Amino acid sequence: MSGPYIPCSEVIEFLWSYVAGELPPAKVAEFERHLAVCPSCTAYLSTYRMTLELERGAFQPEGCEPEEELPEDLIQAVMGALRRE
């Protein structure tokens, strides 16, 4: 897109590529010019980054070691539920 301004809808379309560092330098410059004048997109980007961090943390809990075996009562409960279906 030519010109100094890109619409919010286009910012949202390539947000993942921006956060991942996969945008070409010219597109990064356009994106950052937009952020400089658009508080809504700045807030959206912040929320997007926070969501990504929470997602990563949800799948990598610190100090949580998996059990070697599942408790027998849990196994039986799951098997019983499957048989009823």
Side-chain angles (χ1 to χ4, degrees):
M1 172 179 241
S2 62
Y5 183 77
I6 56 175
C8 295
S9 60
E10 189 173 324
V11 167
I12 291 169
E13 284 178 25
F14 60 83
L15 189 60
W16 168 253
S17 297
Y18 175 79
V19 170
E22 297 174 354
L23 283 180
K27 202 60 142 166
V28 169
E30 285 181 59
F31 186 92
E32 290 175 350
R33 276 194 301 272
H34 180 93
L35 290 176
V37 297
C38 185
S40 293
C41 284
T42 301
Y44 189 83
L45 174 62
S46 177
T47 303
Y48 187 81
R49 285 181 166 151
M50 220 182 310
T51 301
L52 292 174
E53 285 301 312
L54 289 171
E55 179 185 27
R56 281 187 210 111
F59 293 102
Q60 298 173 358
E62 293 180 23
C64 181
E65 294 296 321
E67 292 186 30
E68 292 294 320
E69 292 184 29
L70 292 174
E72 186 61 31
D73 57 338
L74 176 60
I75 294 170
Q76 293 307 316
V78 170
M79 297 303 291
L82 290 173
R83 281 187 221 113
R84 287 189 293 269
E85 289 181 358

